[in-house]
């Protein structure tokens, strides 16, 4: 099948992937909050995604914990990007976009501000869609 032709995705599979995305975004938002990182700030996001040296083992436990949390957050952001690409490839851009909108609505229900997980749906879809 051509990558530009999308069949109607299985609703259960879409729901499972959407739930996975929601859990992933919740963890991302919680880690960002814990680290005091604003994922809607492009400069902070770029610093977070830049490679950093691992602690040498002589750091205080709190420093190692923060470094581990930053490493986890960086990995989860990269994982989410790959998952989003695969969703577009498998489900098509319309269904993938609807999933992202649903995930953001779930984030808001959990008490997070839109974009707390680093996804700017207004920029992604244009201000009329979000």
């Amino acid at each position: 099948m051509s990558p530009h032709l999308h069949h109607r995705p299985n609703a259960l599979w879409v729901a499972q992937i959407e739930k996975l995305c929601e859990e992933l975004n919740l963890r991302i938002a919680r880690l960002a909050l814990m680290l005091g990182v604003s994922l809607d700030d492009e400069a902070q996001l770029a610093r977070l995604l830049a490679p950093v040296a691992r602690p040498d083992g002589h750091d205080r436990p709190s420093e190692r914990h923060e470094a581990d949390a930053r490493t986890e957050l960086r990995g989860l952001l990269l994982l989410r990007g790959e998952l989003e690409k695969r969703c577009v490839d498998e489900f098509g851009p319309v269904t993938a976009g609807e999933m992202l909108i649903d995930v953001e609505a779930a984030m808001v229900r959990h008490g997070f501000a839109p974009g707390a997980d680093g996804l700017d749906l207004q920029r992604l879809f244009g201000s009329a869609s979000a």
Side-chain angles (χ1 to χ4, degrees):
M1 176 190 287
S2 165
H4 300 290
L5 298 176
H6 297 281
H7 62 290
R8 184 159 177 82
N10 176 296
L12 181 58
W13 179 236
V14 171
Q16 289 172 335
I17 298 299
E18 187 174 305
K19 182 66 175 164
L20 175 67
C21 290
E22 179 183 332
E23 291 169 4
L24 184 61
N25 284 8
L26 283 169
R27 181 66 181 158
I28 287 170
R30 287 180 180 130
L31 281 168
L33 188 61
M34 180 186 83
L35 291 167
V37 175
S38 177
L39 296 178
D40 60 357
D41 179 323
E42 290 190 32
Q44 285 189 40
L45 189 56
R47 279 193 303 274
L48 178 69
L49 292 174
V52 292
R54 294 288 300 152
D56 61 10
H58 300 291
D59 298 311
R60 294 190 323 254
S62 64
E63 290 171 340
R64 281 194 307 273
H65 178 70
E66 181 177 335
D68 288 345
R70 284 184 177 281
T71 298
E72 180 184 357
L73 180 55
R74 186 173 24 265
L76 292 176
L77 287 167
L78 295 172
L79 175 67
R80 182 181 64 194
E82 185 61 31
L83 180 61
E84 290 167 357
K85 287 180 207 164
R86 288 180 182 228
C87 284
V88 170
D89 290 346
E90 184 166 338
F91 304 137
V94 172
T95 298
E98 290 169 350
M99 286 174 59
L100 291 176
I101 291 167
D102 290 347
V103 167
E104 182 170 271
M107 295 291 294
V108 170
R109 286 193 302 276
H110 283 281
F112 289 98
D117 55 4
L119 279 181
D120 183 350
L121 294 184
Q122 288 186 348
R123 185 170 59 195
L124 197 59
F125 297 120
S127 59
S129 298

